[in-house]
Amino acid sequence: MESPSNSNTQPVVVSGIQPSGSLHIGNYFGAIRQHIELHTKHETYYFIVNYHALTSLQNAEALARYSRDVALDYLALGFDPEKASLFLQSDVPEVTELAWIFDTLTPVSQLEKAVAYKDKLSQGMSPNAGLFNYPVLQAADILIYGGTLVPVGADQKQNIEICRDLAQRFNDRFSPDDPVLTVPDPYIMKDVAIVPGIDGQKMSKSYNNTIGIFDEGKVLKKKVMNILTDSTPLEEPKNPDRCNVFALIRLFGDPETVDQIAAAYRAGGYGYGHAKTELLELIGAYFEDARERRKALEARPEFVMDVLREGGRRGREKAREIMERVRSATGLITTYE
Ligand code: ADP
């Protein structure tokens, strides 16, 4: 029998956010902005994937701090806890149980082909088993809430394929007549450009080249002034399309400002220092309201915990419904109420 798919059900949006470092403007334009846009439109579960983060961050104080910070950041950037659920992955520990069941259905050879894993190997790293199993836990994260729409960047497409395979395989093996799991669709986010870091490579916390969403003052200024440019002299015309500073200006400026700055680049007599000063102002203005909201939220840590607690309660409720069916379908007998 065909597995249920999102064509005949109400969409359920799910996505995980890794608390393995401070969120940066690459994360914002590549994911968070779309998350914020989507969460009021459909049933939505966003979880802070602290189990996943443990594969690379093994420091209790830092993991706890980054986890709370993600919640603060999302609330400051416009996440409305009345409209959707935001919670800690580890507040729904059932997800690791489902990941184990999925482990027994996943060929090692499939995980060996995962790009993220192969990248780590090619960098000479010796990944831990958690990192190897990363896509399996991700599949459990999606399927345990009945997720049908998974907003991800193009880099995540392979993991969504693994998730779809697992849902299909589970249904074929354990529940062919009454499929338990819904096969999700990736929702590849449109208009997602790769945001360059201050060294011109893809912005990533792994490359230490990020500008934090909530960086301000001297820290922000130093990073912007350090953005790598070529050495074209101030008076000469410049090509905005080949400039890291301009790539960021394009994200933060309104179309008119962006056009004006592009024209100044082409005309000459406009240096990279000018462009950096304009960028600094644009970033400051863009996140001004969010920064204010974040400061107000920092003074209310109990509120933030309450948001996570309530989100976790809703997530657990949903997860337990599916896990009951998963256990029954697989023959995992339960003896307690
Ligand atoms: P990092 O590379 O800093 O570890 P993650 O892998 O945790 O970032 O990415 C989280 C989300 O942010 C993903 O959906 C990813 O596609 C998006 N993202 C991360 N870096 C960028 C970037 N430089 N440009 C666009 N999107 C990005």
Side-chain angles (χ1 to χ4, degrees):
M1 196 196 214
E2 274 288 288
S3 294
S5 85
N6 60 0
S7 54
N8 50 11
T9 50
Q10 287 293 323
V12 178
V13 180
V14 295
S15 199
I17 310 118
Q18 234 203 121
S20 54
S22 298
L23 296 175
H24 53 74
I25 60 180
N27 299 140
Y28 181 75
F29 288 104
I32 302 172
R33 192 171 59 164
Q34 291 83 341
H35 286 172
I36 300 292
E37 235 175 75
L38 266 178
H39 83 288
T40 54
K41 299 191 176 133
H42 310 287
E43 183 182 347
T44 297
Y45 300 86
Y46 292 151
F47 28 87
I48 301 167
V49 293
N50 47 4
Y51 287 135
H52 276 111
L54 266 181
T55 62
S56 62
L57 177 67
Q58 299 179 343
N59 173 315
E61 184 277 322
L63 183 62
R65 179 162 41 87
Y66 288 140
S67 300
R68 289 191 200 97
D69 278 355
V70 169
L72 270 175
D73 292 354
Y74 266 65
L75 289 166
L77 290 165
F79 180 89
D80 179 352
E82 302 287 328
K83 301 264 166 62
S85 305
L86 175 69
F87 55 96
L88 297 161
Q89 183 185 32
S90 59
D91 272 351
V92 188
E94 288 84 351
V95 78
T96 59
E97 180 187 356
L98 186 58
W100 173 258
I101 295 168
F102 285 167
D103 268 341
T104 68
L105 292 170
T106 311
V108 168
S109 58
Q110 187 174 24
L111 297 180
E112 280 171 341
K113 289 188 200 114
V115 175
Y117 172 71
K118 286 201 304 194
D119 279 355
K120 296 278 183 323
L121 281 188
S122 70
Q123 288 163 23
M125 292 169 64
S126 162
N128 56 50
L131 202 125
F132 184 65
N133 278 323
Y134 200 103
V136 178
L137 181 56
Q138 193 173 344
D141 267 334
I142 294 168
L143 299 173
I144 207 165
Y145 307 110
T148 57
L149 265 191
V150 193
V152 288
D155 55 344
Q156 286 288 315
K157 220 175 157 195
Q158 189 184 31
N159 284 355
I160 305 301
E161 270 314 308
I162 295 175
C163 174
R164 288 168 56 85
D165 281 357
L166 270 167
Q168 197 65 61
R169 210 174 292 136
F170 181 97
N171 288 341
D172 288 349
R173 187 142 325 154
F174 292 117
S175 58
D177 300 326
D178 180 18
V180 169
L181 301 176
T182 305
V183 181
D185 269 345
Y187 171 90
I188 303 296
M189 294 183 289
K190 292 183 198 74
D191 303 327
V192 178
I194 296 291
V195 178
I198 60 173
D199 59 357
Q201 292 188 80
K202 178 188 169 189
M203 184 175 289
S204 168
K205 56 186 160 320
S206 329
Y207 303 148
N208 211 8
N209 64 357
T210 62
I211 298 177
I213 298 171
F214 293 98
D215 283 349
E216 58 181 330
K218 282 187 188 152
V219 174
L220 177 63
K221 186 168 180 186
K222 190 165 172 221
K223 288 185 181 173
V224 170
M225 292 303 160
N226 277 333
I227 296 174
L228 188 73
T229 57
D230 63 28
S231 51
T232 315
L234 187 144
E235 59 279 6
E236 279 186 28
K238 300 175 182 64
N239 181 351
D241 299 326
R242 287 217 303 260
C243 175
N244 297 323
V245 183
F246 188 78
L248 296 177
I249 288 175
R250 201 189 273 288
L251 294 170
F252 287 99
D254 58 62
E256 206 179 317
T257 308
V258 173
D259 284 350
Q260 273 169 12
I261 297 177
Y265 265 77
R266 294 198 178 94
Y270 180 87
Y272 292 123
H274 295 129
K276 288 175 178 178
T277 306
E278 296 216 51
L279 174 62
L280 193 59
E281 278 170 22
L282 288 173
I283 298 178
Y286 195 93
F287 289 124
E288 191 179 348
D289 292 347
R291 214 176 288 123
E292 291 307 313
R293 276 199 296 270
R294 198 178 191 287
K295 282 182 187 141
L297 285 163
E298 270 171 37
R300 300 173 66 202
E302 276 314 309
F303 169 74
V304 178
M305 283 300 121
D306 285 346
V307 166
L308 292 177
R309 192 174 298 116
E310 173 57 19
R313 192 193 59 71
R314 288 190 221 133
R316 246 178 352 261
E317 199 173 279
K318 184 101 178 178
R320 283 181 178 163
E321 276 171 33
I322 290 192
M323 281 313 290
E324 214 171 291
R325 296 185 63 202
V326 164
R327 283 170 155 242
S328 157
T330 47
L332 291 164
I333 300 163
T334 314
T335 61
Y336 57 82
E337 283 303 303

